[in-house]
Amino acid sequence: TTTSASLCEGTAGNFSFSCTVSAGYTNPEYQWQQRFNNGAWSDIPGQTTTSLSRNFPASTTVGIYDFRLNVAEAGNIGSLQCSIASSPLSIFVNANPVSTAGNNGPVCEGDTLILVASGGTQYSWSGPNGFTSTGSPSTIANIQLIQSGKYYAEVKNAAGCVTKDSTIVAINPKPQATTIIANTTICAGDSVQLTAAGGLTFQWYPLTGLSDAGILNPKAAPVESTTYSAIVTNQYGCVD
């Protein structure tokens, strides 16, 4: 019903070709021909009717397969001057996309995960806990530990052929920063020891009035009322 059809690499297909021939031949003779990737035409042995069936196994090489019917008066089928050929009927065996899938992990709990795939024109994602998404890149904000695991990308190219790839997402836990003192009052010129917990390294701010801003328990001697905060970092580089 059409002059062309497509298959994807690794997919089998069966096709039937047929041609009609105009009146005017006393004793017409037919010969089907084929070519690959626009090469030279060659006769298909034994195919001498107006119809042709062709099987394309899954192992068929990627490329363009053309078929046509030659017709001539009996005895003249081998003469270019005395025969006429139909327009080509084409089967396109398209390559599957060569895909890659990856992510920006490992990421910290609460950060944004970015899933990236390449090699196609359309992308569909699936993953843990029923996750689905489309496009590349695809982002997941405020990622949680339960969302770690393998994410699958279905990659489709312009020919509609599909391949699948995957990427492992690692999510590191976020520390829970705590401070011992919530509020306290000191006299001008005095100091108070601050203490933080929940991680491996600590950074206090503002720096004003601190004996050492990079330890868990610096002494604070501000000259005016001050709110101090501690940034706590764990062994994965995640902060709170």
Side-chain angles (χ1 to χ4, degrees):
T1 57
T2 62
T3 58
S4 66
S6 293
L7 284 173
C8 290
E9 180 182 7
T11 303
N14 291 285
F15 295 93
S16 296
F17 308 97
S18 63
C19 289
T20 57
V21 179
S22 62
Y25 292 97
T26 302
N27 184 21
E29 187 176 352
Y30 310 109
Q31 176 62 60
W32 282 94
Q33 296 182 321
Q34 63 185 356
R35 69 178 179 182
F36 177 65
N37 282 346
N38 297 315
W41 289 100
S42 61
D43 292 344
I44 305 175
Q47 301 302 321
T48 55
T49 67
T50 57
S51 62
L52 173 71
S53 294
R54 270 293 177 263
N55 173 52
F56 287 79
S59 58
T60 300
T61 301
V62 170
I64 305 172
Y65 295 80
D66 289 324
F67 302 87
R68 71 181 184 182
L69 181 67
N70 256 4
V71 60
E73 199 64 58
N76 294 328
I77 195 67
S79 170
L80 292 176
Q81 292 77 18
C82 298
S83 63
I84 190 168
S86 70
S87 298
L89 299 169
S90 302
I91 302 297
F92 298 91
V93 180
N94 299 295
N96 292 326
V98 178
S99 64
T100 60
N103 66 86
N104 64 327
V107 296
C108 295
E109 178 185 6
D111 286 351
T112 297
L113 177 74
I114 303 174
L115 298 167
V116 179
S118 64
T121 57
Q122 297 180 49
Y123 305 92
S124 298
W125 293 92
S126 60
N129 306 300
F131 170 80
T132 59
S133 181
T134 58
S136 178
S138 179
T139 61
I140 306 174
N142 192 28
I143 194 77
Q144 300 300 307
L145 296 177
I146 196 173
Q147 293 172 284
S148 63
K150 183 175 284 190
Y151 285 72
Y152 296 90
E154 184 178 271
V155 180
K156 181 183 291 187
N157 62 16
C161 300
V162 174
T163 191
K164 290 186 177 181
D165 212 327
S166 65
T167 180
I168 303 264
V169 169
I171 303 168
N172 292 323
K174 182 179 180 180
Q176 296 294 319
T178 59
T179 54
I180 302 303
I181 300 172
N183 295 283
T184 191
T185 301
I186 61 173
C187 296
D190 289 345
S191 64
V192 63
Q193 190 168 53
L194 307 178
T195 304
L200 291 181
T201 62
F202 305 88
Q203 179 64 52
W204 292 87
Y205 66 94
L207 305 180
T208 305
L210 292 180
S211 61
D212 187 341
I215 61 175
L216 67 90
N217 56 352
K219 285 188 176 182
V223 296
E224 60 184 358
S225 297
T226 302
T227 298
Y228 289 98
S229 298
I231 298 175
V232 175
T233 304
N234 64 13
Q235 66 269 35
Y236 304 107
C238 301
V239 300
D240 189 26

